[in-house]
């Protein structure tokens, strides 16, 4: 046995090394692929930069050309005006020269008067002899000294550092996991964060090839995130975070492992009454179940003759050997396949609306073949009867306590094995319905009875914080909320 354990340990280590080698080879391939991708992205960035520069050059050249055309148009207009004024002035000079040769005083005076009037109105005396625009184009000169310096200082974008997960601030409560982290130093370029998580049964990093893949939550703006609506069907959860800026994601934080305490079980179909149709977390009563499955049961028993006398539950605990005639008569019972031997646990049950009668509770493994829940001193339950009259009661050792509240749509079951407490709750409001005080002396199995209807069981739930608060408050009070014979012998 010692050698077998050593060989098994070595084989597990070999699997871990093989897994690590595969991871290294994959990492090498990823480095090559990612390097090629980064070069392609670099080419795209520079092509984009060239495109921007070409566009800027075209716009600036167009502005210079427009300014040139505007100035030339203004100067040409001024040149045309001057030419016209000069032509008119020369005509007037020639006319004046001719007038000087007139001998007749009257004609001379008339000609002189006309010349004087024309000179007074001549455009040559109203025209400006200063250019309306300058020939300078210096206002359109550029200086790219700063831009050139900025381009020369362009480097690879700093990769955000790996965040640090604040384990003390992380919470696992009410089927939610709140993860909190911080940056090792202030980084204004961080745009958002990525969070990845996966469920695992290992208290640490992945050790086997078939470890569950990471689930991704993207574009988280804050430094905290709450994963809600979880079912804790494994013992732990790995969490890691990375920071991202506009272009690149940084390294992952060191993964942390959060313990997710929850009780997980399935309904044990091999130990149920023949009239019950059982799936992992659902049981339904079938009136013809016994007759229709009698032959099948015989074949099953025959085929199982060489099977191991024990079966192992998902939690690694061993439960009793089951058979399809485990319960008979009017004990329409099915048990859970995982025993409670310590700790605090919680699960919920929802009945179909047309269910006539059902019981939800716990029992020792030694519950008799014909025993009904609550009618023995080794079983405790809440019983709901919707047949003929509606009753809602707590049962133990064939004693009944009627509860003066309506049966809720969903029942919560809280079992504190070490503290000797079994409390039933309205699972929606978390209001306690009834509490048994018991000194448990044997491992407990979740137990269910159903007649005319079906029950759905939800496991992998944490003890709700509201229930924990109620327990804490209740521990400060004396007495018991249960009035039945609650101490198991």
């Amino acid at each position: 046995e010692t050698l077998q354990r050593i060989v098994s340990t070595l084989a597990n280590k070999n699997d871990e090394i093989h897994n690590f080698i595969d991871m290294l080879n994959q990492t090498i391939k990823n480095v090559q692929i990612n390097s090629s991708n980064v070069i392609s992205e670099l080419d795209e960035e520079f092509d984009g930069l060239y495109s921007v520069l070409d566009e800027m050059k075209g716009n600036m050249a167009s502005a210079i050309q427009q300014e040139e055309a505007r100035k030339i148009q203004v100067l040409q207009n001024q040149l045309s005006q001057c030419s016209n004024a000069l032509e008119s002035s020369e005509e007037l000079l020639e006319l004046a020269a001719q007038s000087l040769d007139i001998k007749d005083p009257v004609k001379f005076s008339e000609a002189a008067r006309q010349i004087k009037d024309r000179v007074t109105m001549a455009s040559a005396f109203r025209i400006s002899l200063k250019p309306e625009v300058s020939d300078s184009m210096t206002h359109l000169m550029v200086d790219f000294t700063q831009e050139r310096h900025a381009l020369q200082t362009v480097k690879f974008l700093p990769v955000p550092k790996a965040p640090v997960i604040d384990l003390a601030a992380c919470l696992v409560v009410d089927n939610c996991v709140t993860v909190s982290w911080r940056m090792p130093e202030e980084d204004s370029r961080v745009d958002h964060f990525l969070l990845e998580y996966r469920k695992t049964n290992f208290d640490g990093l992945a050790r086997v090839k078939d470890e569950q893949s990471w689930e991704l939550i993207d574009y988280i703006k804050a430094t905290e995130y709450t994963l809600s609506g979880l079912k804790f069907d494994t013992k732990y959860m790995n969490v890691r975070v990375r920071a991202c800026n506009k272009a690149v994601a940084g390294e992952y934080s060191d993964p942390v492992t959060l313990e997710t305490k929850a009780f997980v079980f399935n309904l044990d179909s091999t130990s149920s009454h023949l009239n019950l149709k059982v799936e992992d977390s659902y049981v339904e009563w079938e009136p013809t179940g016994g007759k229709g499955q009698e032959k099948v049961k015989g074949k099953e028993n025959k085929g199982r003759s060489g099977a191991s006398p024990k079966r192992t539950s998902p939690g690694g605990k061993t439960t009793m050997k089951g058979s399809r005639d485990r319960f008979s008569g009017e004990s329409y019972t099915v048990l859970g396949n995982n025993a409670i031997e310590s700790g605090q646990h919680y699960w919920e049950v929802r009945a179909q609306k047309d269910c006539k009668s059902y019981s939800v509770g716990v029992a020792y493994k030694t519950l008799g073949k014909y025993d009904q829940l609550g009618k023995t001193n080794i079983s405790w339950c809440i019983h709901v009867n919707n047949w003929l009259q509606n009753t809602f009661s707590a049962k133990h050792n064939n004693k009944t306590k009627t509860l003066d509240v309506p049966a809720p749509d969903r029942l919560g079951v809280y079992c504190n094995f070490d503290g000797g407490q079994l409390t039933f709750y309205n699972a929606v409001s978390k209001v306690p319905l009834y509490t048994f005080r018991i000194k448990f002396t044997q491992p407990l199995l979740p137990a269910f009875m159903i007649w005319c209807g079906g029950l759905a069981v939800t496991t992998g739930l944490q003890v709700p914080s509201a229930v924990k608060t109620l327990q804490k408050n209740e521990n400060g009070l004396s007495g018991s909320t249960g009035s039945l014979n609650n101490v198991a012998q």
Side-chain angles (χ1 to χ4, degrees), residues 82-374:
C82 289
S83 297
N84 292 335
L86 181 60
E87 182 179 353
S88 176
S89 179
E90 287 178 347
E91 288 179 359
L92 191 57
L93 280 175
E94 184 179 354
L95 180 60
Q98 293 175 358
S99 298
L100 290 174
D101 294 335
I102 298 175
K103 303 301 183 179
D104 185 346
V106 177
K107 291 182 179 181
F108 177 80
S109 297
E110 181 64 26
R113 190 181 300 111
Q114 291 178 358
I115 291 172
K116 177 186 175 182
D117 292 340
R118 291 182 64 181
V119 168
T120 303
M121 301 297 296
S123 57
F125 292 97
R126 297 193 308 271
I127 195 169
S128 172
L129 299 181
K130 179 181 178 181
E132 292 184 8
V133 294
S134 167
D135 60 355
S136 173
M137 298 291 284
T138 55
H139 63 291
L140 294 176
M141 295 295 291
V142 295
D143 180 7
F144 287 137
T145 302
Q146 292 184 349
E147 287 76 8
R148 189 178 295 108
H149 177 71
L151 288 173
Q152 289 171 346
T153 58
V154 169
K155 298 178 181 178
F156 291 111
L157 185 67
V159 178
K161 293 188 176 181
V164 178
I165 297 179
D166 186 358
L167 197 56
C170 295
L171 293 175
V172 180
V173 65
D174 292 333
N175 305 318
C176 298
V177 172
T178 298
V179 186
S180 180
W181 60 90
R182 57 180 172 80
M183 293 299 294
E185 60 186 45
E186 178 125 7
D187 188 348
S188 61
R189 297 192 182 206
V190 171
D191 178 70
H192 63 275
F193 297 91
L194 306 179
L195 183 147
E196 292 188 343
Y197 69 95
R198 65 182 172 192
K199 299 176 181 179
T200 176
N201 281 317
F202 296 106
D203 184 10
L205 301 178
R207 303 180 187 179
V208 292
K209 259 186 176 182
D210 57 352
E211 187 66 85
Q212 293 189 37
S213 59
W214 291 96
E215 300 285 341
L216 173 66
I217 306 294
D218 203 350
Y219 294 105
I220 302 172
K221 292 294 185 178
T223 56
E224 182 179 278
Y225 190 81
T226 298
L227 300 164
S228 58
L230 299 173
K231 182 179 180 182
F232 297 117
D233 45 10
T234 47
K235 296 180 181 179
Y236 303 98
M237 181 178 289
N238 295 142
V239 181
R240 64 185 185 183
V241 182
R242 66 197 305 193
C244 304
N245 54 33
K246 292 292 186 181
V248 65
E251 294 295 325
Y252 286 106
S253 64
D254 291 333
V256 300
T257 301
L258 304 175
E259 186 174 6
T260 54
K261 295 181 180 179
F263 181 54
V264 179
F265 66 89
N266 288 327
L267 300 179
D268 189 357
S269 61
T270 63
S271 67
S272 69
H273 192 286
L274 281 172
N275 281 85
L276 299 183
K277 178 183 179 182
V278 179
E279 297 179 359
D280 288 344
S281 58
Y282 182 76
V283 55
E284 186 174 6
W285 186 80
E286 289 187 331
T288 60
K291 297 178 181 178
Q293 298 179 35
E294 198 67 45
K295 293 183 179 180
V296 177
K297 177 179 75 68
K299 292 182 180 179
E300 285 180 354
N301 290 339
K302 183 178 180 181
R304 293 175 183 267
S305 59
S308 171
K310 297 180 180 180
R311 70 193 296 274
T312 302
S313 68
K317 297 177 182 177
T318 303
T319 60
M320 57 186 289
K321 178 185 176 182
S323 62
R324 281 293 271 160
D325 58 354
R326 171 72 175 87
F327 294 100
S328 296
E330 294 185 356
S331 179
Y332 302 114
T333 303
V334 61
L335 302 174
N337 65 352
N338 198 0
I340 300 173
E341 299 179 5
S342 63
Q344 301 179 51
H345 309 287
Y346 180 84
W347 60 96
E348 294 182 354
V349 181
R350 182 191 293 271
Q352 288 181 345
K353 291 188 180 298
D354 58 350
C355 190
K356 300 300 183 185
S357 176
Y358 63 92
S359 298
V360 175
V362 296
Y364 290 156
K365 296 179 180 180
T366 53
L367 188 67
K369 181 174 183 178
Y370 297 98
D371 291 340
Q372 297 183 20
L373 295 184

